[in-house]
Amino acid sequence: MQINLPSCEIKVREQNGRREVFDFLRRRYVALTPEEWVRQHFTHFLVEHKGYPTGLLANEMELRVGEKRVRCDTVLYSLTLQPQMIVEYKAPDIAITQRVFDQITVYNMLLHADYLVVTNGMQHYCLRMDYDRHSYEFLSDIPDYKTITNNR
């Protein structure tokens, strides 16, 4: 599956007739879907190329919106365990639309993160929130971890 991220070592296996990929953050094998392929490459990219600590990244974080339960694809926490970044993944053949941004915005209403990232493995969008001005700014690149921690 072609994506616009650096290559990395990903463990894939066949188990009970289905393909699985090892999620190094959850430390277990999970179903290999196109979205999961993007998640694994993107989290490796954050750790290996942008300096994000694995201990502060979490995949599939469950949130409650009223009675509804939703899952954030990936959350980066600060050293004080406050959400700093939310990442939403889509499969490479899924277009990044306003609906995807609406989805991550709902999650951010609960988490109040400083950065929001949306990617389908081909296109990557990063927003920095400005809560004082009730606005956001699109960034030209995914910031490295040092940049994020210096902007707090």
Side-chain angles (χ1 to χ4, degrees):
M1 186 175 321
Q2 185 71 9
I3 57 175
N4 182 22
L5 288 164
S7 63
C8 59
E9 188 175 322
I10 293 181
K11 297 177 190 174
V12 177
R13 73 178 184 187
E14 189 87 19
Q15 186 77 13
N16 298 323
R18 72 177 200 162
R19 291 182 54 133
E20 295 179 329
V21 61
F22 186 76
D23 182 337
F24 73 106
L25 295 179
R26 290 181 270 184
R27 295 184 182 101
R28 64 181 170 92
Y29 280 90
V30 297
L32 178 54
T33 63
E35 181 179 309
E36 191 63 42
W37 187 251
V38 172
R39 180 195 331 265
Q40 292 308 311
H41 278 82
F42 199 83
T43 53
H44 276 274
F45 166 70
L46 291 177
V47 171
E48 296 168 12
H49 296 271
K50 296 293 184 171
Y52 288 58
T54 57
L56 297 177
L57 287 166
N59 283 339
E60 293 286 322
M61 295 307 304
E62 187 174 282
L63 303 172
R64 286 181 174 227
V65 181
E67 293 296 313
K68 186 178 178 184
R69 290 179 182 198
V70 296
R71 290 189 187 274
C72 285
D73 288 338
T74 300
V75 177
L76 167 71
Y77 291 94
S78 69
L79 292 173
T80 60
L81 300 183
Q82 298 302 307
Q84 281 189 286
M85 176 185 280
I86 305 169
V87 185
E88 178 63 27
Y89 305 105
K90 297 298 177 194
D93 62 334
I94 302 295
I96 304 296
T97 63
Q98 183 61 48
R99 188 173 178 186
V100 178
F101 285 101
D102 293 345
Q103 180 182 2
I104 199 169
T105 299
V106 168
Y107 301 158
N108 200 39
M109 288 175 162
L110 298 170
L111 296 180
H112 210 70
D114 295 328
Y115 295 86
L116 306 179
V117 176
V118 174
T119 180
N120 62 5
M122 299 302 291
Q123 297 174 296
H124 322 291
Y125 298 95
C126 183
L127 306 150
R128 181 173 47 213
M129 304 302 296
D130 185 336
Y131 293 104
D132 293 334
R133 294 192 176 121
H134 304 287
S135 65
Y136 58 87
E137 167 190 14
F138 276 96
L139 303 180
S140 60
D141 192 14
I142 308 299
D144 62 26
Y145 182 70
K146 287 181 181 174
T147 300
I148 286 178
T149 56
N150 289 338
N151 284 337
R152 281 204 72 98

